[in-house]
Amino acid sequence: MLPNPTLDQLQVFLTVAETGSFSAASRVLNRAQSVVSYTIANLEAQLEMQLFERSGARQPKLTEAGKAMLEDARRLMTDLQVMRARVKSLKEGLEAEVDVAISVMVPSQAVVAVLREFRDRFPSVTLNLSAGELGMVMEAVLSGKATIGIGGALLKQDDSIAVEKIGHSFMIPVAARSHPLANIDRPLTLSDVREEVQLVVTDASGLTKGRDFNVLSYKTWRVSDIATKHALIRGGLGWGGLPASIIREDLANGTLVHLDLPAYEQGEYPIYAIRRIANPPGPAATWLIEAFHSKLSFCPNHADFTAALNEIKDPDLPLAAE
């Protein structure tokens, strides 16, 4: 019977595979390179197979057997994190504080309603709340700055986080009533918008660096946050997409006009609950996830939202979760 690899050996194997070299792995693990090499050699001897190609290459390259073992090692380490997380949640009681990162795409009515009930249910728990755009929520969870994240923009796969879809939102292209695009009485073409200033939010997290979403104009003004973008669009300084939950009253009272622009992708924007597997939420954070799931499950889809606006120009219409 072959001896079982140790968890330490699997961790070293994963680190070498993910960093691409024994020297990089030694720095990440804070061990001597000779210790890392010795650990991998012992693992290969135990498994009776070579995991890395070393000859003729400056960096170790996974063999076909190594590639197959990599998936098994990741699964085992993830299972270990789950077990550790379960132990932690059993040992710990109610949190002293909860750090939450929320996307601006989450309807503000839902945020206020959930946090009002949270305050009443957990009066002893301190809440640290941050809000932002694009990759900010995922970055906050990955870095440990937030216990849970409520938002979208899952811009990369990461085995260290657990993700659950709990709702959706969507962006709508709009302009002020006085803007030239608002006065074109037909579906807009790309040529209509190319020379008009489009307001675009820059992702402070850096996770979307080099990537633009629905940027159609040649002229762009880049701003740091949705609130600034909203104010500038309302002021007639350009056009752009804004979360439906933020502009429902502007659309209903005519301050902003929905632009009929087929080239602008208006699919649903999923909203997720995000957390690190190794840092499970306690009772208060778990309640927050469930409460947001309940509230966001009632959000309308894009078709229902626009149909309601066309039929009833009423700011009291429940166009987002109350």
Side-chain angles (χ1 to χ4, degrees):
M1 181 177 177
L2 293 174
N4 291 323
T6 66
L7 293 173
D8 182 68
Q9 288 174 326
L10 293 178
Q11 183 63 65
V12 172
F13 169 55
L14 280 173
T15 305
V16 173
E18 291 171 354
T19 60
S21 71
F22 289 95
S23 59
S26 70
R27 290 192 293 272
V28 171
L29 297 169
N30 196 27
R31 301 185 191 184
Q33 185 173 336
S34 59
V35 173
V36 173
S37 299
Y38 180 74
T39 302
I40 294 297
N42 278 345
L43 177 60
E44 290 177 325
Q46 287 180 355
L47 297 175
E48 298 181 355
M49 64 174 62
Q50 190 174 356
L51 300 174
F52 293 98
E53 295 280 1
R54 298 175 179 82
S55 59
R58 295 181 59 186
Q59 304 294 348
K61 182 181 179 181
L62 283 169
T63 62
E64 290 304 313
K67 292 177 182 177
M69 282 294 301
L70 184 63
E71 296 305 314
D72 290 336
R74 282 177 174 158
R75 185 173 62 254
L76 288 170
M77 296 307 295
T78 298
D79 288 344
L80 176 63
Q81 286 187 321
V82 171
M83 185 182 75
R84 285 174 172 167
R86 184 173 291 114
V87 170
K88 180 180 178 181
S89 65
L90 290 172
K91 290 171 63 178
E92 295 182 353
L94 186 64
E95 310 96 312
E97 62 180 21
V98 174
D99 300 303
V100 184
I102 297 182
S103 167
V104 294
M105 293 295 291
V106 180
S108 57
Q109 299 95 328
V111 174
V112 171
V114 169
L115 296 187
R116 181 183 292 114
E117 189 172 353
F118 178 86
R119 178 198 60 189
D120 296 339
R121 283 177 174 264
F122 304 99
S124 66
V125 178
T126 298
L127 181 71
N128 302 313
L129 181 67
S130 57
E133 286 78 30
L134 299 173
M136 168 267 176
V137 172
M138 186 173 186
E139 181 189 53
V141 174
L142 286 172
S143 66
K145 295 177 181 177
T147 307
I148 60 172
I150 306 295
L154 296 179
L155 302 171
K156 64 178 182 178
Q157 296 297 318
D158 196 303
D159 292 336
S160 68
I161 61 174
V163 177
E164 176 190 4
K165 183 180 177 182
I166 60 173
H168 65 265
S169 185
F170 42 88
M171 300 284 280
I172 293 181
V174 293
R177 172 65 66 185
S178 59
H179 194 278
L181 293 178
N183 297 310
I184 299 177
D185 190 21
R186 57 171 170 76
L188 299 176
T189 65
L190 282 175
S191 61
D192 292 324
V193 302
R194 288 299 196 198
E195 299 301 327
E196 297 290 343
V197 171
Q198 181 177 357
L199 290 153
V200 180
V201 172
T202 299
D203 184 7
S205 75
L207 292 179
T208 61
K209 185 177 181 180
R211 298 169 60 185
D212 280 329
F213 304 92
N214 268 329
V215 177
L216 306 179
S217 295
Y218 294 137
K219 300 177 181 179
T220 58
W221 285 11
R222 296 183 181 270
V223 298
S224 62
D225 57 85
I226 285 286
T228 300
K229 181 179 180 180
H230 184 196
L232 295 183
I233 291 176
R234 280 172 55 99
L237 296 176
W239 74 276
L242 287 169
S245 60
I246 291 177
I247 58 174
R248 50 174 274 180
E249 291 190 10
D250 290 328
L251 291 170
N253 63 31
T255 302
L256 294 179
V257 175
H258 175 207
L259 299 179
D260 185 1
L261 178 57
Y264 190 96
E265 295 182 10
Q266 298 183 52
E268 289 185 359
Y269 180 100
I271 295 175
Y272 303 98
I274 310 168
R275 64 174 180 83
R276 292 177 63 202
I277 292 175
N279 185 30
T286 298
W287 180 91
L288 273 174
I289 292 174
E290 293 172 350
F292 273 112
H293 193 174
S294 176
K295 287 291 182 184
L296 296 175
S297 63
F298 294 103
C299 287
N301 58 34
H302 181 269
D304 291 342
F305 184 94
T306 52
L309 280 172
N310 290 333
E311 293 176 8
I312 308 174
K313 297 294 185 178
D314 183 356
D316 295 325
L317 186 69
L319 298 177
E322 298 293 348

